[in-house]
Amino acid sequence: MELIQTDAYTWEIPRTGGMNVPARIYASAAIMETVKKEETFKQLVNVASLPGIVSRAMAMPDIHWGYGFPIGGVAAFDMDFGVISPGGVGYDINCGVRLAALGLEEKEIRPHIEDLVVALQKHIPSGVGSTGAVKLSLADLKKVMKKGSPWALSQGYGRDTDTGRTEEGGCMENADPGDVSDRAMDRGKNQLGTLGSGNHFMEIGVVDTIYDPAAARVFGLAENQVTLLIHTGSRGLGHQICDDFLALMTKKVHKSGIALPDRQLACMPVQSAEGQAYYRAMACAANFAWANRQVLLHMAETVLMHTLGISPRDLRMRMVYDVCHNIAKIETHVIDKEKRKVCVHRKGATRAFGPGNAGLDPAFRDTGQPILIPGDMGTASYVLAGTQKAMEETFGSTCHGAGRVMSRKAAKKAAKGRSLQQEMEKKGVFVRAAGRGTMAEEMPEAYKDVTEVVNVVHGSGISKKVAKLRPIAVIKG
């Protein structure tokens, strides 16, 4: 398999064998060595072999081994001849990130930071199987799946301006609860307003560095400002929807005449009954995830005000943006100088629409879309902006985080005998987790250097750096 470096940050795999299009990886030389060891690029080649794929199969610098598609993978499929794949979206549908900025500086909350992290852990449900304070009837759950963030706003969670700062306005159209199984709804009905487990977290941070002052002003960010970052998704609802449709498509795909290089790439034509049913069910999970983050932000705001003993006017919390990972969307892109509707899969990748895009709120038409790149519990996170080059090269996509370099099992082994909580506190980061195992699985060494990942997408021009955030308190599931 030939791997050609075309510039400092771009690597190409020419079309060979069963590939329908070439493949591209955005990476530095150091990151590429990690990718080669995992042989993750073989998964990308398999994606390039799927029917109806358009232009090329792509991977972002946070690429690592995933189910079927590599995590960090991006692929677009023709609406008439292409496919839709649950493995190309992932189990945690719309696992995304929401960022809010506070009207406080670090010096104002540093004396209270331990109290804040304890209060957040106490009042924000987290961990495997956690249930929330929002109890939904079946009828209300269906409304959440249909309406997303706007449903949460109608119940008093947040502000009307939040939807303009949420991808898709916090609601995908065509969501149909009729395509969601009873098992999936049963798993989701008590999980609205919960953080979950694994790499999900809530983080209090500080704006450490501003790279683009003009864009930072539009985003509402300033140096030394306190921020709140939330990373979670659709919980058990989304997981079960993925599981249900993987099982269905695994049975159906061979009858459709589609030859798969890997059974984990189970898929069906976009326009098939099964493909359309999956899209509608996936949209339900995406809407649930947006509502979940909307509720969590409101809950966190309440905890912060109560713990600090201040009013909303003093806290001055406002949304910066909410981005979505693990999704398939019908979007219009210019391909070979023609506008075409395609089904864009972003698995562990972030939408990165550039300036002037009609899909953005008018506030971001000049800057491009805000992009949120979380690090791990001991390193920085970044705020980026979408670019025109991303629209031209990656279907308006960029990286989504640091990307694992160590399996959860290996991370637990490496953490044995260490007090990660004490190590973090020595760095000025107060961490609380639902279990010691989670903290070990998510320790900093388990991930790539997020700064190097961000430098790749910035250097390649598919997104640009706006600000760097430094964590000071983290709660994990």
Side-chain angles (χ1 to χ4, degrees):
M1 190 177 298
E2 191 176 12
L3 189 63
I4 302 169
Q5 185 172 7
T6 57
D7 60 37
Y9 301 112
T10 310
W11 308 71
E12 301 279 350
I13 301 173
R15 178 183 173 187
T16 56
M19 296 170 68
N20 293 314
V21 294
R24 174 180 290 178
I25 303 172
Y26 292 88
S28 63
I31 289 175
M32 184 53 71
E33 287 306 309
T34 302
V35 176
K36 287 179 181 177
K37 288 177 184 177
E38 280 193 344
E39 297 190 329
T40 315
F41 60 88
K42 289 186 177 179
Q43 286 194 313
L44 192 63
V45 167
N46 288 340
V47 174
S49 305
L50 290 174
I53 187 168
V54 174
S55 184
R56 61 177 67 87
M58 289 170 282
M60 298 298 124
D62 48 343
I63 180 177
H64 55 285
W65 192 268
Y67 185 95
F69 277 57
I71 296 168
V74 176
F77 295 88
D78 183 271
M79 289 297 294
D80 294 322
F81 308 107
V83 296
I84 188 167
S85 171
V89 170
Y91 276 93
D92 195 357
I93 297 168
N94 190 359
C95 171
V97 187
R98 177 168 292 217
L99 177 67
L102 281 59
L104 302 173
E105 293 190 351
E106 180 178 9
K107 62 185 180 183
E108 297 176 85
I109 71 162
R110 179 55 82 171
H112 310 284
I113 198 65
E114 289 188 69
D115 291 337
L116 285 170
V117 74
V118 169
L120 285 170
Q121 187 187 32
K122 180 180 179 181
H123 295 288
I124 303 297
S126 61
V128 177
S130 54
T131 58
V134 183
K135 304 302 181 184
L136 298 172
S137 66
L138 182 60
D140 281 338
L141 175 60
K142 290 179 178 180
K143 289 177 183 177
V144 173
M145 291 190 287
K146 190 76 176 173
K147 298 180 179 179
S149 284
W151 178 89
L153 289 172
S154 74
Q155 303 302 304
Y157 299 104
R159 302 166 181 82
D160 291 341
T161 53
D162 292 351
T163 54
R165 292 177 174 267
T166 304
E167 188 172 325
E168 300 292 338
C171 180
M172 281 184 71
E173 297 179 356
N174 302 320
D176 188 347
D179 292 299
V180 178
S181 70
D182 291 343
R183 171 63 177 148
M185 286 191 278
D186 187 60
R187 291 184 66 181
K189 68 181 181 183
N190 293 323
Q191 292 191 321
L192 192 68
T194 65
L195 198 58
S197 61
N199 64 345
H200 296 159
F201 64 83
M202 184 176 289
E203 173 182 294
I204 299 174
V206 176
V207 179
D208 186 77
T209 309
I210 297 291
Y211 302 102
D212 186 332
R217 280 193 297 273
V218 172
F219 294 177
L221 297 171
E223 283 191 4
N224 299 315
Q225 183 178 28
V226 177
T227 59
L228 184 75
L229 197 66
I230 299 170
H231 179 212
T232 190
S234 52
R235 307 290 281 109
L237 175 75
H239 190 284
Q240 189 63 47
I241 287 170
C242 180
D243 211 34
D244 290 341
F245 280 91
L246 277 172
L248 174 66
M249 291 189 184
T250 298
K251 292 178 181 177
K252 295 274 188 175
V253 64
H254 297 298
K255 295 179 181 179
S256 71
I258 297 172
L260 296 177
D262 179 352
R263 67 185 301 273
Q264 291 186 354
L265 291 173
C267 58
M268 288 294 287
V270 177
Q271 301 290 11
S272 68
E274 296 82 3
Q276 288 294 296
Y278 169 69
Y279 185 84
R280 293 189 296 263
M282 178 206 65
C284 286
N287 292 345
F288 183 95
W290 275 312
N292 190 32
R293 292 195 290 274
Q294 186 74 42
V295 171
L296 283 168
L297 182 61
H298 176 82
M299 293 169 64
E301 181 179 22
T302 301
V303 172
L304 292 174
M305 288 189 298
H306 183 266
T307 306
L308 295 172
I310 60 177
S311 66
R313 179 176 292 182
D314 295 324
L315 188 67
R316 287 172 287 158
M317 178 182 279
R318 63 187 295 273
M319 275 269 292
V320 175
Y321 208 67
D322 181 299
V323 297
C324 167
H325 313 142
N326 295 5
I327 203 77
K329 288 186 181 176
I330 309 304
E331 297 174 354
T332 299
H333 290 275
V334 177
I335 303 166
D336 297 330
K337 299 181 180 180
E338 291 184 2
K339 287 185 177 182
R340 289 173 59 184
K341 276 190 176 182
V342 288
C343 183
V344 182
H345 291 57
R346 297 187 181 96
K347 182 180 182 180
T350 309
R351 195 183 74 173
F353 281 3
N357 192 284
L360 297 179
D361 187 84
F364 307 120
R365 294 280 171 84
D366 293 334
T367 60
Q369 174 192 320
I371 301 160
L372 312 174
I373 308 297
D376 55 72
M377 61 189 177
T379 61
S381 296
Y382 286 85
V383 180
L384 313 179
T387 65
Q388 180 57 34
K389 191 172 183 184
M391 303 306 297
E392 296 167 357
E393 287 192 7
T394 64
F395 301 104
S397 309
T398 191
C399 63
H400 88 307
R404 296 192 74 93
V405 291
M406 200 182 286
S407 70
R408 286 178 166 82
K409 182 178 180 180
K412 282 185 175 180
K413 184 177 180 181
K416 194 172 183 179
R418 294 166 57 182
S419 175
L420 293 171
Q421 185 170 312
Q422 289 182 8
E423 289 179 23
M424 293 297 101
E425 288 184 8
K426 286 179 181 179
K427 296 178 181 179
V429 184
F430 289 85
V431 182
R432 296 293 184 271
R436 293 180 62 185
T438 298
M439 194 176 291
E441 291 174 355
E442 300 301 314
M443 68 178 186
E445 296 98 308
Y447 287 87
K448 296 183 179 75
D449 180 352
V450 69
T451 298
E452 184 172 8
V453 169
V454 166
N455 285 342
V456 169
V457 295
H458 178 82
S460 65
I462 59 173
S463 41
K464 64 178 182 178
K465 292 192 286 188
V466 175
K468 178 181 178 181
L469 312 179
R470 170 173 48 87
I472 58 175
V474 184
I475 64 165
K476 300 189 74 70

